[in-house]
Amino acid sequence: MEDTVNNTTVGRNDGLSPEARRIMTVAFSVEAVLGTICALYSLRRSFGRTPSGGISFFTSLAVADLGIALLCPVSAYASGIAKEGWPFSQDACDAYAFFAMFFGSASIWSSLMVVVEVQAKPKGHRRSITLLLAVTWLSALFWSTAPILGWGRYIPESYDAGCLYDMDVEDERSFAYFLAYPIGAFVLPLGSLVCATVYNGSGFKAALLVTVTVFSCWGLYCIEVVWILLEMNKEVVPIEIEAAAPIVAKLSPIVNALLIGRIAGLASPDSTTESRKVDKKQR
């Protein structure tokens, strides 16, 4: 196997200028530092959100965001040294994409489920939350493992600083995965959030705001998917959008640390007090 993977064999030629590469390197470097600090801060705060000491979606989100932040140095280094394609081996590409998909999927699910958890706690639905936590991480594991096992594949992205699943509409397996993943990563958790909000009859503002927060970080990837489906050609997406998508997505640890806790609090202002009463009764 060659030491590097030339991106021109699996995608289009790199059109980023040296200045754009330097901006990417700086952006990923800053996100690595701030993202790690924010994720650790969120992780520390999350332990106080479950009176019984159980793991919550706040903890789940902090762990996922920490994983995303720890990938930033790899992207920063790759964008700084890449010249013609992904500068590492295909195995390294698979490993990077696996962890990016794993932690990214878990972060999206956890962000949306934070509001569901806050709504459920006062009613004592802790077992339901535990089940949703298991579904979140098993789902992330499934979607990140599938391309390695042959459903779809991981390839270097055209800006050469990262890898992701192939969005080739002409390859049957890649196209099937390309269609299925957005449903598993976005539609299912969003649908769960909507159903829980309607069922509980509260937290509509929190549900809306947390949804906007998620799409503000991951929306460029959604634009890529829709654009490719409309044109049925993955080459139509400008390289500037492809390069901007991971930079914006890797802001999620910072955004979540600043906003998610406050947004979730809108779902049930008295949730902390009520959940403590439920915990005391259960003991």
Side-chain angles (χ1 to χ4, degrees):
M1 181 180 293
E2 296 181 0
D3 292 334
T4 61
V5 178
N6 192 324
N7 198 37
T8 60
T9 62
V10 290
R12 63 180 180 275
N13 292 330
D14 191 350
L16 287 180
S17 65
E19 292 75 15
R21 285 194 169 281
R22 284 193 287 270
I23 292 173
M24 288 187 69
T25 301
V26 172
F28 284 131
S29 300
V30 172
E31 288 175 331
V33 176
L34 295 182
T36 301
I37 293 173
C38 289
L40 290 174
Y41 172 73
S42 298
L43 186 61
R44 175 65 184 85
R45 286 189 63 198
S46 71
F47 293 127
R49 291 188 177 273
T50 307
S52 64
I55 296 176
S56 70
F57 269 108
F58 290 97
T59 306
S60 175
L61 178 60
V63 171
D65 284 344
L66 181 60
I68 292 173
L70 293 177
L71 288 174
C72 290
V74 180
S75 295
Y77 181 70
S79 63
I81 67 171
K83 294 181 180 179
E84 295 182 0
W86 171 252
F88 308 114
S89 67
Q90 180 59 47
D91 289 340
C93 180
D94 290 341
Y96 176 93
F98 170 85
F99 286 111
M101 293 285 290
F102 180 65
F103 290 118
S105 300
S107 178
I108 294 169
W109 268 80
S110 298
S111 297
L112 294 170
M113 292 299 102
V114 157
V115 177
V116 176
E117 179 179 32
V118 173
Q119 293 171 338
K121 274 184 180 181
K123 300 181 180 181
H125 295 165
R126 196 169 301 284
R127 290 185 178 179
S128 299
I129 296 302
T130 301
L131 178 60
L132 281 174
L133 279 167
V135 170
T136 294
W137 287 93
L138 287 175
S139 173
L141 181 63
F142 170 78
W143 292 112
S144 57
T145 303
I148 296 177
L149 298 180
W151 188 25
R153 62 172 181 164
Y154 288 136
I155 63 170
E157 297 193 79
S158 59
Y159 58 87
D160 300 333
C163 294
L164 198 64
Y165 63 90
D166 191 4
M167 299 184 185
D168 188 0
V169 298
E170 297 181 358
D171 182 83
E172 184 176 337
R173 288 188 177 182
S174 295
F175 186 55
Y177 182 88
F178 171 62
L179 290 176
Y181 176 71
I183 297 175
F186 286 96
V187 177
L188 286 181
L190 183 59
S192 299
L193 173 60
V194 171
C195 291
T197 302
V198 172
Y199 174 78
N200 288 289
S202 63
F204 292 100
K205 185 176 181 180
L208 176 61
L209 289 177
V210 77
T211 301
V212 171
T213 300
V214 170
F215 276 92
S216 67
C217 291
W218 303 92
L220 285 180
Y221 282 118
C222 296
I223 291 175
E224 281 190 56
V225 170
V226 172
W227 200 332
I228 292 172
L229 287 176
L230 289 176
E231 298 291 339
M232 292 303 290
N233 181 3
K234 72 175 185 178
E235 308 295 336
V236 299
V237 181
I239 192 172
E240 290 79 11
I241 291 182
E242 286 192 29
I247 295 176
V248 177
K250 286 180 172 60
L251 286 172
S252 58
I254 303 171
V255 173
N256 289 338
L258 296 174
L259 298 179
I260 291 297
R262 293 183 180 180
I263 288 174
L266 296 173
S268 179
D270 300 325
S271 62
T272 302
T273 302
E274 294 182 15
S275 61
R276 285 174 180 170
K277 291 179 180 179
V278 171
D279 287 334
K280 289 179 179 179
K281 291 180 180 180
Q282 290 177 346
R283 293 192 187 112

